Amino acid sequence: MTGTTSSGAGFDYGLFSFASKDEMLRKSQEFWNPGKTQFWIDSGVPLVIDRREGYFLYDMSGKRLIDVHLNGGTYNLGHRHPEVVHTVSTAMQHFDIGNHHFPSLARTALAEALIASAPGGLTKVIYGSGGGEAIDIALKTARHTTQKRKIVSIVKAYHGHTGLAVGTGDERFSQLFLADAPEDFPHVPFNDLDAMEQALAGRDVAAVIMETIPATYGFPLPNPGYLRAVKQLCERYGALYIADEVQTGLMRTGELWGITKEGIEPDIMVTGKGISGGLYPIACVLVNERSAGWLTQDGFGHISTFGGAELGCIAALKALEITSRPETRSRVHYLADVIGSGLRRIQDTCPDWFTGIRQNGVIFGLEFDDPQGAKYVMKHLYENGVWAIFSTLDPRVLQYKPGILMSPELADELLDRTAVAITKAAREAAGQHGSRAVRAGWEGRR
Amino acid sequence: MSASFSSRPGPGPGPASGSSGVPGIASLPAMPLAPGGTPRALAMVERAEWAARAFARYDIATVRRIAHAAALAGAAQACRLAEEAVRETGFGVVEHKVVKNESCSIGLWQAYGDHDYVSPRIDEQAKILRVPRPAGVILALTPSTNPVATTFSKIMFGLLTRNAIVISPHPYAAGVCAEAATVMAQAAVAAGAPDGCVQVVTEPSVPLVDALMASSRVSLIVATGGTAMVRAAHSSGNPALGVGPGNVPVLVDATADPGAAATAILDSKAFDNSVLCTNESVLIVVESVADALEKALTRQGAHLTSPAETDAVRAVIFDGDRLRTEWIGREATAIAAAAGIRVPARTRVLITPIDLVVPEEALAHEKLLPVLALTRVPTAERGIDVARAVLRISGQGHSAAIHSRDAATVMAFGSSVPVMRISVNVGNSLGSSGFHTNLAPTMTIGTGFTGRSALTANLAPEHLVAETQVAYGSSPATPMPSFSGLDPWYAPDGPVPQYPVASNLDDAASGRSAGRGAEHASASSAGANGVAGPQESDELRDHLRRLIVEELRAMVKG
């Protein structure tokens, strides 16, 4: 597939081509997903990702964007990281997806590496082809282990859209497909230990599933000690603790796994997205010995043709190695420091609009003083060359996730663009809503 | 980490042999991207970039504290590392390496600790403000012959000038260099230096060094080592301070004190068995003092070889005109034994007379071992010609020595011999490297334009720092304000970088960036972070207290 231009020749990708971006968008609506396609056009983000490289995305128009969405951390290491690309390309001369029935070279090697990297107590790895399937595996494993059905998650949780996972999440996605099952999937408010204890007290809960920091909810930070207290409640009431580390793992908090920063050894841990460097889909469930029983009782209990595809395992081995380097950890600490203090400086220029910064490492939730605030900021960031996404379940908050290998220069550029975009968004929001606070804050500074 | 993470060249998760280990697979390429841990080394450079950026804003007091701590730590390990260097490389003499290791740690602190490569200087006359700006990320290539001393000196220079440094040692000395660098790095970071400001490549290889040198994130290469490597540094496209090889002529004229000259020359030639590039290579002696000098040399532990012995020594240490590396830094007695020469056990240096200094005479080439060629000349004038002949073979721009009490001869030597430094009436090993003269003490000898280097002096901290010149109009009508009391640099108030504590756990979050330089001194408003209001926090505390009490009860019962 060759590079393209937006010149009169149209967009030729070898196997397919489009005459123009307009034609592409029209066909996207006709043949693919009209709702999604229209949503982005209406949001002022008419992005069709063409070229991608490092932390840059290029729209079909040629417009360059710094990617701080990273598709939830999928592109933690950047787009098409050369080492991962090389590793996968080389592996394709020998490996393919593999056969899920048999012991597998790459699956075993990755499992060993994952266990070596993981919080204490986790001993075995089960593979899925994506995060949702991995969550389903985790929930099924918890049910088997405890012989209980109920799964507790938090209100506004997001763990994927597959059969069981969708039940743990917001009704927006479960009710749409008549997949909500509140009797088996009670939801409790985040950071509310009393509610958690009430949900668990009946001793009929198989597991509590928690993102270490709930991403789609805008990264609200767990109160100090909250997660440990939840873990203790799980122990007291016979439930397993499932750590969803899909977005908080892989060095984003400055440690390989966010849950270890909380001092928790989960019974089950799920990783996905960035684990395979954005090049080959794979997700992994790490379980402790107590939860690993079904793998002995009936090793065919969960079958997945593409789960743990060997090429994905090889991509993951390399991505995990890059991510685990001491140099990478050090760089994340620098980046967190620089972006954190840079954002606080921006915040000081408009504290009434840019009301809060939730930070853990290079995970950021930026709060704005408007129920849809992050959508304004997203649009202005896009216009100013940055792609970051609002939080689906709390559009007041912008998800802002700089890549862990970002260079100092790019961090500076990102902050420059962000400062301008946030200021412009403040002006637009003030104009749209006449928000007194915003206008006062803005004018007070001129 | 698991063995699967080895960055050594190898098969990775493929057949164990890396090729043809599996029937039907003719050749499976090795999985890792590049040999010898190149990706890791490049990651080090990227980490160093962050460190350099933070370090560049440190103030002089902090810089001095860091450099002093590193110097003390290095000196404390001077003996152990000297022993390990000899064990790993087989080159040199432990007690002499101890001297060098101390000279290049605490010695360099004593030489440079009171210099200031950090604070802005104001030239009120010229109306120019000069702000020191470090190079950034320095890639330092260090040799096998002086592994610890060179590593120490480059780190010391780097720390004094606020540069981040990545050491790429010669593969023969990779282990001891890594240890030496780690000793100083840990001390520096403990004293407040930014994380990653001193790093060392643990698996050096030629392709790895090539990749590092080509990295656009490297600000400056400082190359001490063989000609090929120095050339590669100069060709890399990055700024490079490379140095050429030595081949030191030493002239003893009729006015010299033969006894004193013999002592200086022998001590220098025997020092660390000649592994310093400043060691004497060809002794040129004026006929009228030649017999006296030879006597003095013999008396002080040199063995003067017969013509047959000279041939035997040449055959042992040279392969054609290439020095056999296995003899570098070995004892004179060992070389004599290999050449079948019986010498007294106290023999420190073998002196091999030669008639003609020409390229085809192997003994006129550089000798990093205690063999010194000797040639007689009728006059000092002729001696200068011969010194120039030595340098035509190799060593242009490097160093030379002269033993003479005649100013005119010294002036003639200094103005004719194409080197950048000349030691007078002192051994050249420690003379031209600045430890026994008032030249800048260093392990890296700039060979100047004739030696194909942009560095003409002994490498010193000042070569690793540039300055921004802030110049006012020269017209008297353009005034320059007072800058007194203004310091753009800061003293960090904790580890750099800060550990990334979650913002709702970090009590000091609002003051965290204070002190990062004036423009960084802002703070976020309190209470802006997190989602927990005060009420929720109280509830949580109560709940935690309850849980802890219950746990304690359970423990007491249990």
Side-chain angles (χ1 to χ4, degrees), chain A residues 208-220:
Chain A
V208 173
I209 182 164
M210 300 282 287
E211 276 190 287
T212 305
I213 307 170
T216 311
Y217 196 11
F219 296 119

Side-chain angles (χ1 to χ4, degrees), chain A residues 83 86 194 197 221-224 232 236 255 261 327 330-331 334 337 345 348 356-359 409 412, chain B residues 33 39-40 46-47 49 53 194-195 498-500 503-504 516 522-523 528-529 531-532 540 543 547 551:
Chain A
E83 285 185 63
H86 177 89
D194 286 332
E197 181 155 16
L221 298 174
N223 287 339
Q232 285 169 348
R236 177 165 331 136
E255 299 294 349
K261 252 178 118 173
E327 292 79 17
S330 174
R331 288 162 69 182
Y334 275 113
D337 205 350
R345 284 201 303 280
D348 286 341
I357 300 171
R358 306 162 175 179
Q359 179 184 5
E409 294 84 10
D412 285 344
Chain B
L33 178 59
R40 271 296 295 282
E46 286 164 359
R47 178 188 191 179
E49 204 178 13
R53 179 180 146 122
D195 179 59
Q498 294 275 353
Y499 185 80
S503 54
N504 65 337
R516 292 286 156 95
S522 61
N529 300 319
V531 290
L540 177 73
H543 195 91
L547 284 173
E551 243 178 26

Side-chain angles (χ1 to χ4, degrees), chain A residues 233-308:
Chain A
L233 289 171
C234 286
E235 287 166 14
R236 177 165 331 136
Y237 296 114
L240 301 186
Y241 184 100
I242 302 172
D244 181 342
E245 281 277 301
V246 171
Q247 294 223 31
T248 47
L250 301 172
M251 210 56 90
R252 295 214 60 84
T253 64
E255 299 294 349
L256 185 61
W257 305 111
I259 196 73
T260 57
K261 252 178 118 173
E262 300 285 337
I264 292 173
E265 293 188 351
D267 299 291
I268 299 176
M269 187 177 92
V270 179
T271 181
K273 291 200 190 287
I275 187 67
S276 45
L279 281 167
Y280 204 103
I282 187 177
C284 318
V285 186
L286 285 70
V287 299
N288 62 13
E289 213 46 33
R290 177 184 170 203
S291 311
W294 70 262
L295 293 166
T296 307
Q297 187 184 327
D298 183 354
F300 292 82
H302 179 89
I303 287 185
S304 173
T305 301
F306 297 157

Side-chain angles (χ1 to χ4, degrees), chain B residues 27-165:
Chain B
S27 93
L28 179 69
M31 206 63 76
L33 178 59
T38 300
R40 271 296 295 282
L42 291 170
M44 285 181 190
V45 171
E46 286 164 359
R47 178 188 191 179
E49 204 178 13
W50 282 106
R53 179 180 146 122
F55 209 2
R57 304 199 69 82
Y58 274 40
D59 68 355
I60 181 64
T62 311
V63 166
R64 285 198 173 126
R65 190 176 71 228
I66 290 165
H68 190 213
L72 289 175
Q77 301 294 321
C79 292
R80 183 177 69 80
L81 293 169
E83 285 165 12
E84 285 187 25
V86 173
R87 196 178 312 135
E88 182 171 359
T89 64
F91 302 155
V93 180
V94 170
E95 62 195 87
H96 296 159
K97 287 197 184 294
V98 173
V99 172
K100 287 196 299 187
N101 296 351
E102 286 173 347
S103 299
C104 290
S105 51
I106 200 70
L108 291 179
W109 166 255
Q110 283 155 1
Y112 295 111
D114 59 350
H115 288 51
D116 183 347
Y117 305 100
V118 174
S119 309
R121 289 175 297 120
I122 297 140
D123 183 343
E124 281 172 15
Q125 215 81 59
K127 291 195 286 182
I128 295 175
L129 167 68
R130 299 176 200 279
V131 186
R133 308 296 291 271
V137 176
I138 294 177
L139 172 63
L141 308 176
T142 61
S144 57
T145 44
N146 307 292
V148 177
T150 311
T151 300
F152 275 180
S153 64
K154 289 188 176 175
I155 293 173
M156 285 302 298
F157 292 174
L159 293 176
L160 284 161
T161 51
R162 305 181 296 174
N163 282 294
I165 188 161

Side-chain angles (χ1 to χ4, degrees), chain B residues 120-371:
Chain B
R121 289 175 297 120
I122 297 140
D123 183 343
E124 281 172 15
Q125 215 81 59
K127 291 195 286 182
I128 295 175
L129 167 68
R130 299 176 200 279
V131 186
R133 308 296 291 271
V137 176
I138 294 177
L139 172 63
L141 308 176
T142 61
S144 57
T145 44
N146 307 292
V148 177
T150 311
T151 300
F152 275 180
S153 64
K154 289 188 176 175
I155 293 173
M156 285 302 298
F157 292 174
L159 293 176
L160 284 161
T161 51
R162 305 181 296 174
N163 282 294
I165 188 161
V166 176
I167 307 274
S168 179
H170 191 282
Y172 285 1
V176 73
C177 283
E179 279 197 56
T182 304
V183 164
M184 281 197 167
Q186 287 177 346
V189 170
D195 179 59
C197 68
V198 176
Q199 298 176 83
V200 60
V201 173
T202 52
E203 295 172 38
S205 66
V206 171
L208 179 149
V209 174
D210 284 345
L212 283 181
M213 291 197 299
S215 167
S216 60
R217 297 173 192 278
V218 167
S219 318
L220 175 66
I221 302 168
V222 183
T224 311
T227 307
M229 191 258 278
V230 171
R231 284 283 167 279
H234 282 142
S235 311
S236 68
N238 279 320
L241 295 177
V243 298
N247 188 28
V248 176
V250 48
L251 174 65
V252 178
D253 81 357
T255 68
D257 172 347
T263 307
I265 292 166
L266 281 186
D267 285 353
S268 174
K269 186 66 191 171
F271 185 77
D272 210 8
N273 285 337
S274 303
V275 295
L276 284 174
C277 55
T278 42
N279 85 87
E280 286 83 348
S281 179
V282 178
L283 171 54
I284 303 155
V285 58
V286 173
E287 195 72 58
S288 61
V289 290
D291 289 343
L293 183 70
E294 284 181 2
K295 261 198 206 92
L297 289 166
T298 307
R299 204 167 45 236
Q300 295 186 37
H303 173 78
L304 217 66
T305 56
S306 67
E309 289 174 344
T310 300
D311 290 343
V313 169
R314 187 190 292 111
V316 166
I317 63 173
F318 280 100
D319 174 12
D321 61 1
R322 285 177 58 97
L323 193 68
R324 294 184 203 269
T325 50
E326 66 267 31
W327 288 103
I328 289 175
R330 299 286 299 277
E331 283 75 23
T333 49
I335 296 166
I341 307 170
R342 291 171 58 92
V343 296
R346 65 183 185 90
T347 303
R348 299 193 282 163
V349 173
L350 302 179
I351 293 181
T352 53
I354 57 174
D355 292 330
L356 198 55
V357 171
V358 285
E360 63 267 31
E361 172 53 82
L363 288 166
H365 290 242
E366 186 183 26
K367 295 175 289 300
L368 296 169
L369 39 75
V371 173

Side-chain angles (χ1 to χ4, degrees), chain A residues 77-339:
Chain A
L77 301 176
H79 293 271
R80 300 188 303 107
H81 188 286
E83 285 185 63
V84 186
V85 168
H86 177 89
T87 302
V88 174
S89 316
T90 307
M92 286 174 95
Q93 296 173 35
H94 186 72
F95 291 97
D96 52 20
I97 285 166
N99 186 321
H100 60 284
H101 288 294
F102 294 99
S104 140
L105 296 167
R107 239 170 276 165
T108 304
L110 175 60
E112 186 184 358
L114 277 170
I115 292 303
S117 80
L122 300 174
T123 58
K124 286 194 169 50
V125 179
I126 310 156
Y127 294 105
S129 50
E133 185 189 355
I135 295 291
D136 275 16
I137 293 169
L139 301 182
K140 292 201 300 184
T141 299
R143 284 180 166 180
H144 170 87
T145 304
T146 60
Q147 293 297 305
K148 301 172 187 174
R149 297 189 74 84
K150 273 192 187 173
I151 306 290
V152 173
S153 55
I154 63 157
V155 175
K156 302 282 183 192
Y158 181 98
H159 299 284
H161 293 256
T162 43
L164 296 178
V166 77
T168 64
D170 193 64
E171 285 77 11
R172 170 177 165 191
F173 301 116
S174 53
Q175 289 175 348
L176 181 64
F177 300 108
L178 315 184
D180 53 320
E183 62 288 355
D184 282 344
F185 294 92
H187 299 177
V188 302
F190 184 56
N191 272 335
D192 183 341
L193 279 172
D194 286 332
M196 183 62 79
E197 181 155 16
Q198 278 170 28
L200 295 175
R203 295 184 177 275
D204 58 348
V205 171
V208 173
I209 182 164
M210 300 282 287
E211 276 190 287
T212 305
I213 307 170
T216 311
Y217 196 11
F219 296 119
L221 298 174
N223 287 339
Y226 170 70
L227 294 179
R228 285 177 76 148
V230 171
K231 175 70 164 61
Q232 285 169 348
L233 289 171
C234 286
E235 287 166 14
R236 177 165 331 136
Y237 296 114
L240 301 186
Y241 184 100
I242 302 172
D244 181 342
E245 281 277 301
V246 171
Q247 294 223 31
T248 47
L250 301 172
M251 210 56 90
R252 295 214 60 84
T253 64
E255 299 294 349
L256 185 61
W257 305 111
I259 196 73
T260 57
K261 252 178 118 173
E262 300 285 337
I264 292 173
E265 293 188 351
D267 299 291
I268 299 176
M269 187 177 92
V270 179
T271 181
K273 291 200 190 287
I275 187 67
S276 45
L279 281 167
Y280 204 103
I282 187 177
C284 318
V285 186
L286 285 70
V287 299
N288 62 13
E289 213 46 33
R290 177 184 170 203
S291 311
W294 70 262
L295 293 166
T296 307
Q297 187 184 327
D298 183 354
F300 292 82
H302 179 89
I303 287 185
S304 173
T305 301
F306 297 157
E310 290 199 294
L311 287 170
C313 290
I314 287 161
L317 262 173
K318 182 41 84 178
L320 190 60
E321 187 265 323
I322 296 169
T323 308
S324 304
R325 291 173 186 164
E327 292 79 17
T328 304
R329 182 173 176 274
S330 174
R331 288 162 69 182
V332 170
H333 291 193
Y334 275 113
L335 184 66
D337 205 350
V338 164
I339 299 281

